[in-house]
């Protein structure tokens, strides 16, 4: 069920990015134009575009937008501006590494083409951004193909947050595994954690499942343990925002709790993510920066105040699941199982971007 | 910090119950009059009065209200009407046993006074209801006294839902332990799970802590695992709605997940509840009926629809934590530790009401 999460309209000089505004779902499916790098950074910060692979693509297209005003610049001037632009975009969110990975690819392609005229450089940047998007589309399908083996006919899958088409170019990571199993004709059911505070599970995952005709049941995050205890769940599949060299995986807050519950109930726990999610510069998950967001996301999230004025709120947006809780990591290059540094390094390409 | 959750105004013949309408907190602290048994059943069903001990008291006072219209009845007629009234109240919520326990006490006191004139019977019922309330006040303080030993100076306590003054006559069960440790001069901090879907933690527990001047931090339910992993939590204390003969304890949905997380992190997990919460007719928690509530509590709770129309929702209001996850049960009669049937039976009185 391809969702066109992010696209480009027009040429490199004057074109615009188009994103599905995910803050409006499920009440409205609206595609909005993003015309400047500032608008793109704000869209990432405000979660209008979200999901680790999707914000990588958004960052790359944001870099294209940020360079549109540059005319007939020498390479040093061009690259200095590109550095400003990518720094601005990189400051939008700290945890998902795909954003930094995509921005670094944009800088590298610029360096590799030093000396070309400004107009051509801009086209090269747009081509690279669209290449990142197209690679992600292929990655998603390959993740689905590699992961579907873990879902048997009749299985019920629990997922947390949204690692679907909306979180990627168009097919998802964790949800790609579910989409593919469904397309293969397996009869499957899904439980979606609502995923407080911003309810990506309630708003986005249920919407994607319903649109694809896959049986889905919404639960609150705190019900995951009980449904596992009842024997309703055969496996868990989630996405990831950054995976350290040892396999520790950062993902949406609450993922760690789900992993502990899965272990307690003997339920396999899978992480699905493209190889751009690995950050081999980090030896363990302890080094992954965890974004803390405004407490008002919790106390005021849906138009009604739900906590007393002035109460202290802790709002980490992510947590880290240690590798020992993860049954396998499903990537576009294949499956990492058991999850350890040796298996990770042998599957991943040894290039400078990770 | 005594909160007058529920009270009676006037005489047995024409008086009314008064409750703090908990659905309005924390935005408004409003005491409302409850004038009929139907209004009381609706108030229990709609969670205007909630918390296992509090709905016991509410049920008893509801029975008084239900008998006000009866004039010069013979015992059989009086008792048949009382049976109708208590059946109506008992149907309001199925999981917390304190409601049935209190209603059974009301029926027993009526039987014990067979032959008395109707007016006197009504007074006897009111006296019994107020006795249940006053016993609960003492129970809460005794629970606090027995439980405070488990909290050391400097500790941080995690709690789930609201087992505070609002859930009892006025001082709480789980929160009584915290109030008492605080009154003893211990410097303590509290993390309150918001407790989806109806946010009793966010709305009520933070309000009670703040009112008492106790340091409190609000988190989403799915953050409990992460804060435990960070080493922020020294112990967990929660209430209970029904405890089986083997010590399995039903409590607000999500409690079981917290118990599993506590075990994984070596954090002690305490249940605080009056002895009226035990149901020795149930050999294990598997027999405890679990209330399922309207899915709209999840999909529409913040005044904005947060899930696609027509999506399936599973909304169990409680779960059961097996005894092996519970470090101790703190009652008004003392502490049950380890939690097993022998220790439970030796602490509880062997009377017909449980």
């Amino acid at each position: 069920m391809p969702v066109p999460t992010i696209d480009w309209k027009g040429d490199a000089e004057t074109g615009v990015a188009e994103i599905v505004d995910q803050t409006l779902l499920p009440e409205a499916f609206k595609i909005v134009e993003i015309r400047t790098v500032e608008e793109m950074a704000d869209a990432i910060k405000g979660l209008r575009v979200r999901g680790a692979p999707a914000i990588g693509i958004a960052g790359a297209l944001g870099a294209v937008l940020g360079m549109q005003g540059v005319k007939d610049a020498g390479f040093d001037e061009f690259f200095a501006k590109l550095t400003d632009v990518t720094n601005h975009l990189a400051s939008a969110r700290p945890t998902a590494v795909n954003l930094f990975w995509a921005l670094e690819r944009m800088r590298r392609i610029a360096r590799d083409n030093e000396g070309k005229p400004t107009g051509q450089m801009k086209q090269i940047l747009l081509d690279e951004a669209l290449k990142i998007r197209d690679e992600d589309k292929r990655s998603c399908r390959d993740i689905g193909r590699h992961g579907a083996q873990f879902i048997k006919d009749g299985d019920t899958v629990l997922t947390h947050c949204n690692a679907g088409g909306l979180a990627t170019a168009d097919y998802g990571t964790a949800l790609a595994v579910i989409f593919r199993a469904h397309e293969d004709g397996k009869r499957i059911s899904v439980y979606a954690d609502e995923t407080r505070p911003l309810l990506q599970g309630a708003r986005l995952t249920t919407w994607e499942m319903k649109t694809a005709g896959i049986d889905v049941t919404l639960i609150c995050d705190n019900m995951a343990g009980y449904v596992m205890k009842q024997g309703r769940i055969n496996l868990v599949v989630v996405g990831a925002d950054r995976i350290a060299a040892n396999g520790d995986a950062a993902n949406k807050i609450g993922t760690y709790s789900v992993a502990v519950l899965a272990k307690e109930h003997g339920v396999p726990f899978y992480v699905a993510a493209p190889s751009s999610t690995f950050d081999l510069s980090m030896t363990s998950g302890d080094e992954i920066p965890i974004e803390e967001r405004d407490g008002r996301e919790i106390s005021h999230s849906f138009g009604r105040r739900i906590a007393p004025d002035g109460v202290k709120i802790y709002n980490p947006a992510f947590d880290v699941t240690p590798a020992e809780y993860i049954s396998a990591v499903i990537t576009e290059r294949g499956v990492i199982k058991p999850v350890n540094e040796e298996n990770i390094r042998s599957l991943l390409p040894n290039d400078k971007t990770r």
Side-chain angles (χ1 to χ4, degrees), chain A residues 160-222:
Chain A
H160 186 75
C161 196
N162 172 268
L166 292 164
T168 58
D170 73 353
Y171 190 73
T173 53
L175 296 196
V177 175
I178 293 169
F179 287 137
R180 179 58 191 262
H182 176 69
E183 288 160 17
D184 289 348
K186 296 173 186 167
R187 288 156 301 179
I188 54 178
S189 297
V190 173
Y191 275 78
D193 280 354
E194 63 172 359
T195 317
R196 282 282 287 153
L198 296 181
L199 300 163
Q200 293 90 339
R203 296 189 298 108
L204 309 178
T205 296
T206 59
W207 181 79
E208 289 199 41
M209 292 292 102
K210 223 169 157 259
T211 306
I214 297 172
D215 178 66
V216 62
T217 302
L218 173 64
I219 57 172
C220 296
D221 301 320
N222 65 21

Side-chain angles (χ1 to χ4, degrees), chain A residues 281-303:
Chain A
S281 76
M282 301 200 156
T283 55
S284 87
D286 295 342
E287 296 167 42
I288 299 175
I290 299 296
E291 177 181 9
E292 279 186 41
R293 294 179 63 90
D294 191 336
R296 290 175 59 91
E297 287 186 348
I298 296 176
S299 60
H300 289 72
S301 27
F302 298 92

Side-chain angles (χ1 to χ4, degrees), chain A residues 204-316:
Chain A
L204 309 178
T205 296
T206 59
W207 181 79
E208 289 199 41
M209 292 292 102
K210 223 169 157 259
T211 306
I214 297 172
D215 178 66
V216 62
T217 302
L218 173 64
I219 57 172
C220 296
D221 301 320
N222 65 21
M223 297 167 187
Y226 183 55
V227 300
M228 287 189 203
K229 182 157 170 268
Q230 291 174 307
R232 294 180 187 232
I233 306 299
N234 299 99
L235 68 153
V236 176
V237 189
V238 298
D241 290 83
R242 191 184 304 216
I243 304 176
N246 70 342
D248 293 355
N251 191 45
K252 179 53 55 196
I253 186 71
T255 302
Y256 170 64
S257 290
V258 175
V260 170
L261 292 164
K263 176 190 160 195
E264 184 75 6
H265 296 91
V267 171
F269 180 91
Y270 299 104
V271 170
S275 54
S276 56
T277 309
F278 285 86
D279 181 352
L280 300 188
S281 76
M282 301 200 156
T283 55
S284 87
D286 295 342
E287 296 167 42
I288 299 175
I290 299 296
E291 177 181 9
E292 279 186 41
R293 294 179 63 90
D294 191 336
R296 290 175 59 91
E297 287 186 348
I298 296 176
S299 60
H300 289 72
S301 27
F302 298 92
R304 180 182 162 189
R305 183 161 62 80
I306 58 141
D309 258 342
V311 80
K312 247 194 296 182
I313 297 171
Y314 179 49
N315 185 19

Side-chain angles (χ1 to χ4, degrees), chain A residues 23-237:
Chain A
T23 62
L24 304 178
L25 281 167
E27 297 195 84
F29 180 87
K30 192 176 170 195
I31 292 170
V32 295
E33 289 187 354
I34 304 289
R35 301 178 162 279
T36 67
V37 62
E38 291 78 15
E39 279 181 22
M40 186 61 91
D42 287 347
I44 294 171
K45 219 175 290 183
L47 274 58
R48 298 171 79 191
V49 57
R50 49 147 293 284
I55 68 175
I57 302 162
L61 290 174
V64 176
L65 291 170
M67 299 307 287
Q68 285 180 331
V70 181
K71 304 285 176 210
D72 300 324
F75 179 76
D76 289 350
E77 189 193 334
F78 187 90
F79 197 76
K81 174 68 178 170
L82 182 62
T83 301
D84 285 351
V85 163
T86 54
N87 284 347
H88 181 60
L89 289 161
S91 69
R93 298 197 71 190
T95 300
V97 76
N98 317 59
L99 177 60
F100 313 119
W101 167 87
L103 295 173
E104 185 51 35
R105 267 185 65 164
M106 298 299 277
R107 290 162 50 83
R108 188 157 36 113
I109 199 79
R111 273 196 306 267
D112 290 349
N113 287 279
E114 181 170 350
K116 302 242 169 81
T118 301
Q120 197 182 334
M121 288 295 273
K122 293 185 194 175
Q123 186 60 47
I124 287 167
L125 287 179
L126 176 58
D127 291 345
E128 184 71 5
L130 295 177
K131 194 176 157 198
I132 289 171
R133 183 199 59 183
D134 293 341
E135 286 172 11
D136 188 61
K137 288 190 183 189
R138 279 196 300 278
S139 276
C140 288
R141 277 156 187 79
D142 290 340
I143 287 169
R145 185 167 50 82
H146 291 302
Q149 62 178 298
F150 296 113
I151 303 185
K152 293 189 303 295
D153 187 40
D155 272 355
T156 298
V157 187
L158 177 83
T159 189
H160 186 75
C161 196
N162 172 268
L166 292 164
T168 58
D170 73 353
Y171 190 73
T173 53
L175 296 196
V177 175
I178 293 169
F179 287 137
R180 179 58 191 262
H182 176 69
E183 288 160 17
D184 289 348
K186 296 173 186 167
R187 288 156 301 179
I188 54 178
S189 297
V190 173
Y191 275 78
D193 280 354
E194 63 172 359
T195 317
R196 282 282 287 153
L198 296 181
L199 300 163
Q200 293 90 339
R203 296 189 298 108
L204 309 178
T205 296
T206 59
W207 181 79
E208 289 199 41
M209 292 292 102
K210 223 169 157 259
T211 306
I214 297 172
D215 178 66
V216 62
T217 302
L218 173 64
I219 57 172
C220 296
D221 301 320
N222 65 21
M223 297 167 187
Y226 183 55
V227 300
M228 287 189 203
K229 182 157 170 268
Q230 291 174 307
R232 294 180 187 232
I233 306 299
N234 299 99
L235 68 153
V236 176
V237 189

